[in-house]
Amino acid sequence: MHILGIETSCDETAAAVVEDGRLLRSNVVASQVKLHAAYGGVVPEVAARQHLVLLSPVVEQALRDADRGWDDLDAVAVTRGPGLAGALLVGLNFAKAVALARGKALVGVNHMEGHVYANWLLPGVEPQFPLLCLLVSGAHTDLILMRGHGQYRLLGRTRDDAAGEAFDKVARLLGLGYPGGPAIQRAAEGGDSAAFAFPRAMLRSGLDFSFSGLKTAVLRAVERLSGTAVPGGQQSDLSPAAAARRDLAAGLPVADLAASFQRAVVDVLVEKTSRAASRYRARQVAVGGGVAANALLRAELPCRLGGEVLVPPLALCTDNAAMIAACGYYRLTHGQRDGWDLDAAPSLRLA
Ligand code: KG4
Ligand code: ZN
């Protein structure tokens, strides 16, 4: 069964072809990062309009790369949420139109479930249940126990900022730009991760996370080191405040701050994942979401948990449509078919 996946929940316009839920035939991602970087974050309307421009050529490219035509496809799987409403609507309407015109089945997919199913695209690996999933993205930090396809139990989640959101906000604070995760990772190279004793919130209590105190601790450290208040943390990167932040950061030990911050986030993620894995006797641990691209997290998890950790390649951690097609396959084979009234669900939850 060949499935065309479509993903437009945020700032990546993506299409992919996956065979039988596991075989990656093509994976095309047109990133809008450069477009949004000037604003220091994703501008929803700009994202939606750019999806409108890019989606059709991206889909054509995915079919060409896969060496497949419309007649070879069985279904179209599309992200229906969570994500930006306008951005989701572009992908959904496109998916409905092609599915209707070409006589294909339509299946709506939860974006976070897609991140889980990126692990089914790893060649030669069969994920084992119970599977503990650590989902770490720009908007989510969830620990989810998966007992079978489509069976999810939420064990822990963030009570405030998501891990990726913390990376993005701290990067902005340090004048490192957007997206924050890769920028912090680069800045941390050569930095001393023990230079600042940043908090590991709720480390020993339960499986929920909290990252807003850590973000504030970095802010306080910057203010202490510079002897001044940090200008306008939430303002766009085109604002005078952003230029002032960059000047201020120029005199700071940015590598040490970035390394200490990154270490604190990774310590908490690894500790809680490890505790959840043993408490729920998970046979394997799978990670997903943009923060799973972080090199320190990718190194530390298998170190702590052994060989039973599945870590998708970078291109399958950040947003992509292959994971949507993979998830769509399991949804379809378990009987899901959506109608032409399928709506976007910007705040859809997985469990
Ligand atoms: O899954 P994703 O691509 O989009 C969402 O569904 O949110 O995740 C994006 C998040 C951003 O916050 C970005 O800063 C973070 O993933 N990210 C990283 C890295 N690459 C992307 N965080 C830490 N280290 C990275 N290397
Ligand atoms: Zn995502």
Side-chain angles (χ1 to χ4, degrees):
M1 186 188 276
H2 284 82
I3 298 189
L4 171 70
I6 291 176
E7 154 66 37
T8 63
S9 67
C10 193
D11 60 342
E12 321 280 8
T13 312
V17 175
V18 170
E19 188 175 341
D20 293 336
R22 307 228 35 197
L23 210 57
L24 189 59
R25 290 293 180 197
S26 66
N27 189 22
V28 179
V29 180
S31 174
Q32 303 180 10
V33 159
K34 285 199 182 120
L35 195 62
H36 299 281
Y39 304 95
V42 178
V43 183
E45 188 182 327
V46 173
R49 287 169 182 268
Q50 194 64 4
H51 288 313
L52 210 49
V53 173
L54 293 174
L55 187 52
S56 192
V58 162
V59 167
E60 293 297 338
Q61 185 66 46
L63 290 173
R64 267 197 305 278
D65 287 359
D67 199 18
R68 298 292 188 275
W70 288 104
D71 289 346
D72 301 313
L73 298 179
D74 297 284
V76 180
V78 59
T79 304
R80 62 182 298 243
L84 304 169
L88 290 165
L89 287 173
V90 175
L92 264 177
N93 274 326
F94 187 99
K96 283 184 190 183
V98 290
L100 181 65
R102 306 277 181 176
K104 311 295 175 189
L106 175 73
V107 60
V109 169
N110 179 314
H111 177 84
M112 298 313 292
E113 189 176 18
H115 277 304
V116 170
Y117 275 89
N119 290 281
W120 267 264
L121 292 167
L122 307 179
V125 178
E126 180 72 43
Q128 304 289 313
F129 302 119
L131 180 70
L132 178 70
C133 307
L134 171 67
L135 297 182
V136 271
S137 71
H140 291 78
T141 307
D142 293 337
L143 271 172
I144 287 178
L145 189 67
M146 191 176 180
R147 292 207 180 275
H149 289 294
Q151 294 174 37
Y152 303 101
R153 177 173 163 199
L154 180 67
L155 304 178
R157 62 179 164 75
T158 183
R159 298 210 180 158
D160 38 59
D161 291 350
E165 189 181 355
F167 269 97
D168 293 334
K169 287 179 175 171
V170 168
R172 189 178 300 181
L173 177 66
L174 297 178
L176 295 173
Y178 177 86
I184 295 257
Q185 182 177 313
R186 270 193 308 277
E189 283 165 18
D192 176 6
S193 64
F196 295 90
F198 289 138
R200 275 87 170 137
M202 304 171 60
L203 192 62
R204 313 249 163 247
S205 61
L207 295 174
D208 278 354
F209 301 88
S210 167
F211 293 110
S212 77
L214 170 60
K215 173 194 68 190
T216 308
V218 181
L219 172 69
R220 296 286 170 257
V222 169
E223 289 180 339
R224 207 174 49 246
L225 289 162
S226 61
T228 176
V230 176
Q234 296 303 318
Q235 289 176 25
S236 108
D237 278 16
L238 292 177
S239 72
R245 280 201 304 278
R246 276 193 297 274
D247 290 348
L248 190 141
L252 295 177
V254 171
D256 289 351
L257 286 162
S260 302
F261 162 78
Q262 179 177 251
R263 182 86 240 179
V265 175
V266 169
D267 277 358
V268 176
L269 293 175
V270 170
E271 168 68 24
K272 300 228 173 200
T273 305
S274 155
R275 229 153 3 97
S278 53
R279 186 182 306 168
Y280 292 93
R281 299 179 199 284
R283 286 182 65 190
Q284 284 178 332
V285 172
V287 289
V291 182
N294 183 265
L296 185 63
L297 181 64
R298 299 168 77 84
E300 291 292 306
L301 271 175
C303 234
R304 178 78 174 271
L305 285 144
E308 293 307 304
V309 182
L310 309 180
V311 187
L314 296 189
L316 295 177
C317 286
T318 46
D319 289 347
N320 65 86
M323 67 185 197
I324 302 302
C327 182
Y329 172 82
Y330 287 96
R331 289 263 153 207
L332 277 162
T333 50
H334 286 74
Q336 180 181 332
R337 291 274 186 297
D338 286 304
W340 307 125
D341 58 349
L342 179 67
D343 194 5
S347 349
L348 189 64
R349 301 197 57 157
L350 181 53

